[in-house]
Amino acid sequence: MNAPDFADILAARRRIAPHVLRTPLGRSDTLSARLGAEVFLKHEHRQTTGAFKLRGATNALLALPAERRAAGVTTASTGNHGRALACAARASGVRAVVCLSRLAPPNKVAGVEAMGAEARVIGESQDEAMVEARRLVAEDGMTLIPPFDHPDVVAGQGTCGLEIVEDLPDLGTVLVPLSGGGLIAGVALAVKTARPAARVVGVSMARGAAMAASLRAGHPVEVREEATLADSLGGGIGVGNRVTFPMVRDLVDDVIELDEPAIAEGIRWAYRVEGEVIEGAAAVGIAALLAGKAAPRGPTVALLSGRNIDMELHRRIVCSDTPWEG
Ligand SMILES: *Cc1c(COP(=O)(O)O)cnc(C)c1O
């Protein structure tokens, strides 16, 4: 598996354009005033299926030869990738089986089924759900579309970065939620090609940040998975990671880790000030700015990556006036 290049992102955009939304970039007047810098929000939480993952899943699915597509696709996912693959598969009349761990919140399981895919809830971790997906590949001839460590997935996510530099040619800093690194690898490839001077900063939760730990170690390592408000950032990067770890290591300027109260503040700000419902994973860019952990250098974009949060949890977070204790 070779790392994608900029041409792959351009090809991905042509391929997926009929199936995904071009999401808006909006200036945040309040964050700009508070930080004394131009701050913009990339409204990718408004993407079809509620997260950017539709870009990568659609690109990987459409890149398959017809006979592979006919045998169906499968994946193991904490939710948003599974939902995205289900949606992409349905749009092309392809069978999809999504394997999720028992840690996945119920709204995400329901989301997968509502998209017309078979949801298989199995195992206590992302890795155990993955074993089942591999079995479907070996025994049923399905094709595994992984959530991040695949060149076509990374190229698809890169289309989001392309839109950012087109809409904001003098981009200075982009803050990107970081888990397995598919999103930030694609965004960094697009941004660093179009605007080499721009800084690309990854933001993760402190609880179980696998990519941050792997960068420190110099190779992919496993970390213990813990419950976090940023549940879409949970899970490892895979000890056999081939595509995203080297890309993140080579292209990303900095990685920030946030505690749970800071992430809750990001969700709260998005709702109360910006009028946006976003999930914890999507709130980390705003949260890093509010916590003073990310200095905006030049025009700064926080990428809001998804909106799929349990609405009862969301209500508890935004209604509370005390720091979040989880
Ligand atoms: C998957 C996901 C991320 C992290 O993306 P990676 O490619 O795994 O780094 C961030 N936010 C949301 C909403 C996601 O679903």
Side-chain angles (χ1 to χ4, degrees):
M1 275 201 285
N2 292 322
D5 58 24
F6 190 66
D8 295 318
I9 298 178
L10 297 175
R13 166 138 79 182
R14 281 192 297 275
R15 205 179 270 136
I16 70 177
H19 304 281
V20 306
L21 299 176
R22 192 191 197 289
T23 55
L25 185 77
R27 184 177 188 275
S28 168
D29 296 339
T30 43
L31 280 173
S32 298
R34 177 167 164 145
L35 288 148
E38 291 292 302
V39 179
F40 298 81
L41 302 175
K42 173 67 167 167
H43 291 265
E44 186 64 16
H45 61 299
R46 300 198 202 156
Q47 184 56 258
T48 307
T49 71
F52 70 89
K53 292 239 174 36
L54 186 64
R55 296 174 185 264
T58 301
N59 189 47
L61 186 99
L62 294 180
L64 290 175
E67 65 275 13
R68 298 276 306 278
R69 255 184 274 169
V73 292
T74 184
T75 194
S77 166
T78 53
N80 282 338
H81 173 65
R83 189 187 286 219
L85 187 64
C87 179
R90 185 160 70 177
S92 304
V94 170
R95 179 180 173 226
V97 177
V98 177
C99 308
L100 303 98
S101 92
R102 292 195 186 91
L103 287 182
N107 67 318
K108 295 202 167 174
V109 179
V112 166
E113 285 168 343
M115 288 290 176
E118 190 185 325
R120 204 160 291 179
V121 179
I122 193 163
E124 302 304 325
S125 68
Q126 182 88 348
D127 291 347
E128 287 177 33
M130 194 66 190
V131 171
E132 173 68 4
R134 290 229 167 79
R135 194 190 64 75
L136 292 170
V137 170
E139 292 175 18
D140 299 356
M142 301 185 93
T143 297
L144 188 73
I145 310 272
F148 52 85
D149 198 31
H150 189 290
D152 296 331
V153 172
V154 171
Q157 320 305 28
T159 61
C160 187
L162 206 53
E163 293 172 12
I164 292 172
V165 280
E166 283 171 353
D167 290 351
L168 192 65
D170 61 345
L171 175 71
T173 307
V174 58
L175 302 170
V176 185
L178 169 59
S179 176
L183 177 61
I184 200 169
V187 167
L189 179 58
V191 164
K192 296 278 181 181
T193 304
R195 180 152 172 88
R199 284 170 50 81
V200 178
V201 177
V203 193
S204 299
M205 68 295 171
R207 285 191 183 170
M211 184 62 83
S214 300
L215 291 169
R216 280 193 291 271
H219 58 90
V221 296
E222 293 194 73
V223 295
R224 202 164 61 86
E225 207 171 328
E226 291 178 74
T228 166
L229 287 178
D231 56 283
S232 291
L233 300 185
I237 71 165
V239 282
N241 186 297
R242 312 221 356 223
V243 179
T244 61
F245 175 75
M247 289 184 75
V248 172
R249 182 192 59 206
D250 297 345
L251 297 173
V252 171
D253 296 286
D254 198 7
V255 174
I256 295 167
E257 291 170 66
L258 294 177
D259 61 21
E260 298 295 302
I263 296 168
E265 273 309 311
I267 295 172
R268 232 177 247 169
W269 177 282
Y271 183 73
R272 291 184 180 177
V273 182
E274 313 288 345
E276 304 289 342
V277 173
I278 59 173
E279 58 176 287
V284 294
I286 292 176
L289 290 170
L290 291 175
K293 290 216 165 194
R297 280 200 224 155
T300 295
V301 172
L303 198 168
L304 309 184
S305 53
R307 63 158 186 257
N308 294 321
I309 185 170
D310 181 278
M311 286 312 289
E312 174 53 25
L313 172 64
H314 187 269
R315 189 192 61 75
R316 279 194 285 128
I317 293 167
V318 300
C319 290
S320 154
D321 278 308
T322 53
W324 182 255
E325 284 163 11

